[in-house]
């Protein structure tokens, strides 16, 4: 169903206003919109009164008005009503002004000399739809920020209390079975706290839209420390690290969890003893960190989707969160991740990371 659009035209030239009205009476309007109801005013104060008195879906704004000129007109109109998409109409054929208008919040910039009915109606429809998408995106980011706050404060505070009480029980109980139960409560609280921290980091990276705070991270000590940690946890994996000293990338303090996920991924997807080789290629425009194993590998049919939310191989019993976390964080650093076959026929995960 095509919508009816209520448009407010702010234009001090009667001839130009009549031309806009003529274009909007054209039968071509029906291809994009059911009807356009146009209200015409000649100044910004009159536009402010109209916007206060009624609802409008779009504002058609001439930049040259008696009381305002150029981009100042657009800025003043945006201050009057920030929740209505604005299409700039102007007699100027100036690309620089057009770019500045879009950067200042206009949905479109239409020179009057190039105007016709089809172009005007298309601009109306697309401006309204883009504005709705922007509002939905803003709403989504507000929701992400709210859930992030819940994770950061309410859940984390609750689990800190649970862990503290579990520690008290371990120290105060005599029955070995009860002590084991208390330890189990503590260990699971730690795991869920760690998971919550990773989810919070993903929410941060999504809500920030690529504006994550990054800092130089040296690969050699970080990868070595994570490899030693994995070696200490299980005897089913042998990690060999070949990372040159001084290799530094842009990341944040969650990058160690990214590396840990890739190292433990080889163990979780194989029942046999697994060898993992970590290497770096520092010769290109980015730094390539490669984590390769001699396990069962990733079938070609799974390689395209394995980093998606819930994505995992056919043989996996996990949730698919680990690799989604890896890809989300690496993308927030401005990098990328892919999987390929290792030299030994297993899986190789390659991270392309920005150089610090």
């Amino acid at each position: 169903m095509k919508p009816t659009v209520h448009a407010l035209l702010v234009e001090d030239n009667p001839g130009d206003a009549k031309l806009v009205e003529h274009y909007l009476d054209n039968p071509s309007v029906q291809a994009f919109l059911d009807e356009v109801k146009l209200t015409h005013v000649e100044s910004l104060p009159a536009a402010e009164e109209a916007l206060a008195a009624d609802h409008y879906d779009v504002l058609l704004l001439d930049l040259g008005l008696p009381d305002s000129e150029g981009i100042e007109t657009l800025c003043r109109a945006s201050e009057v009503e920030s929740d209505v998409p604005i299409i700039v109409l102007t007699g100027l054929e100036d690309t620089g002004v057009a770019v500045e208008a879009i950067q200042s919040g206009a949905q479109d910039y239409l020179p009057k000399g190039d105007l016709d009915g089809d172009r005007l109606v298309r601009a109306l429809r697309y401006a309204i739809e883009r504005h709705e998408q922007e509002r939905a995106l803003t709403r989504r980011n507000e929701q992400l920020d709210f859930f992030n706050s819940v994770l950061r404060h309410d859940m984390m505070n609750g689990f800190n209390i649970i862990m503290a009480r579990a520690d008290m029980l371990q120290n105060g109980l005599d029955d070995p079975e009860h002590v084991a139960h208390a330890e189990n409560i503590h260990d699971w609280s730690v795991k869920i706290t760690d998971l919550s921290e990773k989810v919070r980091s993903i929410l941060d990276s999504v809500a920030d839209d690529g504006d994550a705070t990054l800092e130089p991270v040296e690969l050699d000590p970080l990868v070595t420390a994570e490899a030693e940690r994995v070696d200490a946890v299980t005897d089913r994996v042998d990690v060999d690290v070949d990372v040159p000293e001084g290799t530094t990338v842009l990341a944040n303090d969650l990058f160690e969890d990214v590396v840990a996920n890739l190292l433990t991924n080889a163990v979780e997807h194989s029942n046999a003893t697994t060898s993992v080789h970590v290497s770096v290629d520092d010769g290109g425009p980015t730094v390539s960190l490669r984590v390769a194993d001699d396990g069962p590998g990733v079938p070609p049919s799974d390689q395209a989707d394995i980093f998606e939310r819930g994505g995992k191989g056919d043989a996996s019993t996990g949730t698919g969160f680990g690799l989604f976390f890896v890809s989300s964080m690496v993308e927030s650093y401005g990098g990328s991740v892919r999987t390929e076959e290792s030299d030994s026929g297993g899986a190789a995960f390659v991270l392309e990371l920005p150089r610090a």
Side-chain angles (χ1 to χ4, degrees):
M1 180 179 177
K2 296 186 289 292
T4 296
V5 169
H6 296 261
L8 177 63
L9 171 64
V10 188
E11 171 62 74
D12 67 319
N13 185 313
D16 289 343
K18 284 291 184 184
L19 192 60
V20 171
E21 291 175 10
H22 169 71
Y23 286 144
L24 295 179
D25 281 336
N26 194 292
S28 64
V29 168
Q30 298 295 321
F32 290 91
L33 301 167
D34 181 51
E35 182 184 5
V36 178
K37 295 183 177 180
L38 186 68
T39 300
H40 172 221
V41 297
E42 297 184 353
S43 67
L44 281 178
E48 185 173 0
E49 291 179 8
L51 289 165
D54 206 348
H55 166 77
Y56 292 93
D57 300 301
V58 64
L59 179 64
L60 296 167
L61 179 68
D62 178 29
L63 287 185
L65 296 173
D67 52 353
S68 183
E69 188 73 31
I71 295 299
E72 178 194 354
T73 305
L74 174 59
C75 294
R76 288 180 57 187
S78 298
E79 289 173 1
V80 169
E81 179 54 79
S82 61
D83 200 36
V84 176
I86 298 176
I87 297 174
V88 167
L89 302 177
T90 179
L92 299 174
E93 295 280 352
D94 189 330
T95 304
V97 175
V99 172
E100 188 176 359
I102 299 300
Q103 291 175 340
S104 299
Q107 287 288 341
D108 211 338
Y109 180 96
L110 302 178
K112 294 178 183 178
D114 298 334
L115 203 58
D116 58 40
D118 183 68
R119 187 177 182 188
L120 179 57
V121 172
R122 286 174 184 266
L124 284 172
R125 178 69 182 267
Y126 298 156
I128 293 169
E129 290 183 354
R130 280 195 301 269
H131 186 67
E132 288 299 317
Q133 291 171 355
E134 290 170 0
R135 290 179 62 184
L137 181 61
T138 299
R139 176 62 176 163
R140 187 201 68 172
N141 284 339
E142 290 173 349
Q143 291 170 337
L144 288 174
D145 185 62
F146 169 74
F147 292 129
N148 200 343
S149 177
V150 170
L151 280 175
R152 189 188 302 270
H153 299 293
D154 300 357
M155 283 186 61
M156 298 295 280
N157 289 343
F159 278 110
N160 285 334
I161 292 172
I162 291 172
M163 284 187 285
R165 296 296 185 269
D167 284 338
M168 291 175 61
L169 288 173
Q170 289 180 57
N171 295 327
L173 293 172
D174 297 323
D175 187 326
E177 183 178 356
H178 291 168
V179 171
H181 289 327
E183 290 175 348
N184 201 16
I185 293 171
H186 179 274
D187 292 345
W188 271 103
S189 297
V190 171
K191 289 179 182 179
I192 296 175
T193 300
D194 181 57
L195 178 63
S196 300
E197 186 68 19
K198 292 176 182 178
V199 172
R200 182 189 64 78
S201 299
I202 292 177
L203 290 174
D204 278 340
S205 69
V206 172
D208 290 342
D209 197 22
D211 294 331
T213 301
L214 306 181
E215 58 187 11
V217 175
E218 191 172 351
L219 290 181
D220 178 34
L222 184 148
V223 174
T224 300
E226 290 304 314
E228 291 174 351
R229 187 185 65 80
V230 172
D231 279 335
V233 169
T234 177
D235 57 3
R236 288 180 42 231
V237 63
D238 178 27
V239 184
D240 172 41
V241 177
D242 182 16
V243 179
E245 293 183 5
T247 305
T248 307
V249 299
L250 286 177
N252 61 16
D253 57 354
L254 266 296
F255 186 61
E256 61 185 34
D257 291 293
V258 171
V259 174
N261 268 279
L262 292 178
L263 293 178
T264 56
N265 185 72
V267 182
E268 293 172 351
H269 295 86
S270 175
N271 294 321
T273 300
T274 304
S275 296
V276 180
H277 180 68
V278 185
S279 59
V280 163
D281 181 359
D282 195 17
T286 59
V287 176
S288 297
L289 178 68
R290 193 169 191 265
V291 180
D293 64 56
D294 60 356
V298 180
S301 59
D302 292 335
Q303 289 181 4
D305 301 325
I306 199 168
F307 296 106
E308 299 300 320
R309 184 178 64 180
K312 54 184 179 177
D314 292 337
S316 173
T317 59
T319 63
F321 177 81
L323 293 179
F324 177 65
F325 169 75
V326 168
S327 65
S328 297
M329 295 311 301
V330 171
E331 287 173 10
S332 77
Y333 303 153
S336 63
V337 59
R338 67 181 186 275
T339 182
E340 57 192 29
E341 185 176 320
S342 70
D343 296 338
S344 57
F349 294 91
V350 183
L351 277 61
E352 300 288 350
L353 298 161
R355 192 188 308 275

